[in-house]
Each structure stands twice: as structure tokens, then as C-alpha cells.
Amino acid sequence: MTVMFERVALLGLGLIASSISHASRRKGLAKHIAGFARSAETRETAKQIGIVDSIHDTAAAAVKDADLVILCTPVGTYGALAQEIAPHLKPGAILTDVGSVKGAVVRDVSPHVPAGVHFIPGHPVAGTEQSGPRSGFAELFDNRWHILTPLPGNPPEKVQALEDFWVALGSNVERMTHDHHDLVLAMTSHLPHLIAYNTVATAGDVETVTQSEIIKFSAAGFRDFTRIAASDPTMWRDIFLNNREAVLEMLGRFTEELAVLQKAIRWGDGQTLFDLFSRARDIRRGIIAAGQDTAAPNFGRAPTKKN
Ligand code: NAP
């Protein structure tokens, strides 16, 4: 048990904030966790499940005297939130976030950060398709990457303190620029979500196949897309609105590859299909070798029970 921060403020109390609290409590990293959520229902749940030591109905009240403030709402809210809390931040405090995009967050938050407060953006590359305070769990960050995108002028010891906190929560930490982060995540996270949303929506639009058939005969491939497509619509709307350039760049590359596949199918070019599928399978094997997923069939899920 090592207290790393006397007082941590979590603004927004969904999956990520709740998991930070559980992981922090597991090791006693914060003496006091103050929480803010906009709805009375979420505040009540947070109190009930014990993820906060004090609950506040304004963000300004929650950040008072906090040494570490973490923005945990959808990224589209960060600018207004930063403006609201700015006059109430403790001098010397670290302000960070968990937003899935970084360039837009730097653009929206930085202008509000008072001198003497250290804004160090970050992104836990860990999550599930569930939302809300009850969906959080202590192991969410274990062996997952946390990307820090420090800004010029961040004192090295403050960046190190934040890095140490995320390592103590269970993460491996890597530092990079916010532009590079947005390009990498556009490919590894944002594009797959866009494809999943589109695949599921397309299936829903196909008139010759009924909704009940889609549900009844959903094969593993389609079901995996539906899991991703169950993610929070507000969060994902904000991600696409705030990582436009990088997503459009990766989408352009994706559609070029798709056209290659389309042509190969039309012309019966099995070699092209086989080569591309083999390259793709090697990437999956690389992910397993890097310890970022299980080699068990069907991601190790238990077989579905008969009703
Ligand atoms: P979540 O479970 O949906 O929780 C979101 C929280 O933000 C809730 O407490 C919600 O309040 C609050 N909120 C929503 N809109 C708001 C607004 N307009 N003003 C103030 N508060 C608002 O979300 P999450 O999955 O924890 O995601 C939070 C952040 O983490 C996002 O920025 C996301 O990009 C990032 N992230 C998510 C994942 C993931 O897989 N989920 C992974 C990495 C990073 P109420 O409950 O009161 O409505």
C-alpha cells in the first residue's frame, strides 16, 4: 500500500473512472477519491458501489484540493469542463484525461489550464463495450498500454509521477506525441469501430434478410462486430468528430484495400485473397505473441448454453 496522491478527482463516473477507482483502491494509491457525475442517478450508484469517498454535483467542487484530476467524460465535453474547473484547480496539481483522441483534447483543454497546473494528456488503451459506473473493474488496465502524450513544458517529475500512477494501476506506459497517437489509434481502434457500426447497420438494412434471421443465424464473425457496435454512441460520435483527419486517412487506405479484395473476388483471383488473408492472420498471431490477447478459440469464451 503506497499512497501516490492524497486526493484524486474523477470527473465523469463511467466505465473508465470506475475502473481507475477499483484499481487504485486495490493498491491504496489515493487517500481520497472525489467524484463528479452530471446525473443524480450516476452519483447515487457511485456512492452505493463505493467507488468514491466524496461525491459532488459540480466538477468545480470535486477538484477542490485535488493533486490529480482526471477527465473521464466523452471527449466532446472536455473544453467546457476544463473552463469550469480552471479557477478551482490546486496550484501544482496534475490535470490529465483518458480521452480516446489526443490532438483535439490538447486544442480544447490547454487554453484553460492556469499557470502552475500541469496538463499531461493520456489514454488508457483498455476498455469494453459496456458503460456506466457498474461496468468498471479493477483488472481493466492490467497489462494494457497507457499512452501518455506529454506537452512541452511539462515538468519531467510530474510526467514521471503520472506514469508511475498508471503503472501502479496495472498498465504498461508508452509516451508519444499527440499527433502520432491519433494516427495509430485511428487504425487500431477508430476504424475497426466504424467498420463494425457500418457492418451491423448494413445487415439491418438488407431487405431480403429479416431482422429475426440476422439474430437467429448470427455467425461468430457478425456477433463479434455486434459486440464492438454495442459501444456507447455518444463516446464514439465524439471520437469521430475529434479525430477527423487521421480517421479519413486510414479510411482512404482501407477502401483501397477493399477495392483490391472486391476485384480479386470478381476475377476469381484466389492467390490475392489467400495472400492478404495470410498477412492478416500473421498480425493476429503477433498480437497473441505480444500477450495482448488470448490464443484460446473464440477468445476463450464459454460456449453459449441452450435455453
Ligand atoms: P461511460 O461509461 O459512458 O461514462 C461516461 C461518463 O461521462 C458518465 O459519468 C456520464 O455521466 C458522463 N457524461 C456524459 N456526457 C456528459 C456531459 N455532456 N457532461 C458531463 N458528463 C457527461 O464512458 P467511458 O467508457 O468511461 O469513457 C469515458 C472516456 O474514456 C471517454 O472520453 C472515452 O473516449 C475514454 N475511453 C473509453 C474507453 C472505452 O472502451 N470505453 C477506452 C479508453 C478511453 P452520466 O452517467 O451522469 O450520464
Side-chain angles (χ1 to χ4, degrees):
M1 297 287 235
T2 321
V3 174
M4 300 179 97
F5 291 95
E6 290 289 311
R7 195 176 175 98
V8 173
L10 301 174
L11 306 185
L13 294 170
L15 164 74
I16 299 292
S18 170
S19 299
I20 292 173
S21 169
H22 286 299
S24 169
R25 289 211 194 287
R26 182 172 66 169
K27 296 229 190 105
L29 306 179
K31 213 174 228 176
H32 184 102
I33 298 178
F36 154 74
R38 65 175 172 172
S39 72
E41 191 189 342
T42 299
R43 293 195 294 271
E44 191 47 45
T45 305
K47 254 195 311 192
Q48 263 178 28
I49 63 177
I51 56 170
V52 290
D53 298 301
S54 63
I55 186 79
H56 306 266
D57 51 16
T58 66
V63 303
K64 192 170 178 289
D65 295 326
D67 310 288
L68 174 64
V69 175
I70 312 180
L71 307 177
C72 302
T73 51
V75 289
T77 65
Y78 285 1
L81 207 51
Q83 186 172 24
E84 183 195 336
I85 61 175
H88 308 280
L89 291 168
K90 179 178 165 181
I94 294 175
L95 171 64
T96 190
D97 73 301
V98 294
S100 308
V101 304
K102 297 273 57 87
V105 167
V106 171
R107 178 198 68 201
D108 293 349
V109 172
S110 297
H112 303 294
V113 181
V117 170
H118 310 289
F119 174 45
I120 309 169
H123 175 207
V125 187
T128 76
E129 70 283 11
Q130 315 242 305
S131 7
R134 289 189 192 279
S135 60
F137 54 101
E139 299 78 21
L140 180 66
F141 308 113
D142 286 352
N143 201 27
R144 314 309 311 189
W145 286 102
H146 186 84
I147 300 175
L148 285 179
T149 62
L151 296 168
N154 282 151
E157 69 279 10
K158 294 288 181 180
V159 180
Q160 192 58 51
L162 186 59
E163 177 167 330
D164 292 345
F165 179 69
W166 278 100
V167 168
L169 291 179
S171 304
N172 306 315
V173 176
E174 182 134 331
R175 301 180 189 187
M176 62 178 72
T177 65
H178 49 79
D179 287 344
H180 190 66
H181 167 278
D182 287 354
L183 210 53
V184 172
L185 269 292
M187 186 63 239
T188 61
S189 170
H190 308 169
L191 190 62
H193 275 82
L194 195 69
I195 294 165
Y197 279 126
N198 196 39
T199 303
V200 177
T202 305
D205 286 346
V206 179
E207 283 151 10
T208 47
V209 181
T210 66
Q211 286 285 347
S212 63
E213 282 174 315
I214 289 170
I215 292 165
K216 184 171 167 188
F217 299 117
S218 65
F222 185 69
R223 271 188 277 119
D224 286 343
F225 277 120
T226 60
R227 184 192 67 74
I228 299 173
S231 302
D232 185 65
T234 307
M235 169 183 152
W236 283 95
R237 177 202 62 195
D238 282 7
I239 288 172
F240 290 112
L241 293 179
N242 286 283
N243 198 19
R244 198 173 55 170
E245 301 303 324
V247 169
L248 290 177
E249 164 65 23
M250 292 306 170
L251 197 55
R253 288 169 186 246
F254 176 80
T255 37
E256 282 168 22
E257 289 281 354
L258 196 60
V260 169
L261 285 175
Q262 196 175 15
K263 194 171 161 194
I265 293 168
R266 191 181 301 286
W267 292 97
D269 177 1
Q271 192 62 45
T272 296
L273 296 175
F274 184 85
D275 290 348
L276 191 141
F277 296 164
S278 300
R279 262 197 293 140
R281 192 171 61 174
D282 286 347
I283 292 176
R284 169 74 191 162
R285 287 177 174 162
I287 291 170
I288 292 164
Q292 292 296 303
D293 209 343
T294 170
N298 199 17
F299 306 109
R301 290 175 191 138
T304 314
K305 292 223 171 63
K306 211 164 181 198
N307 290 324

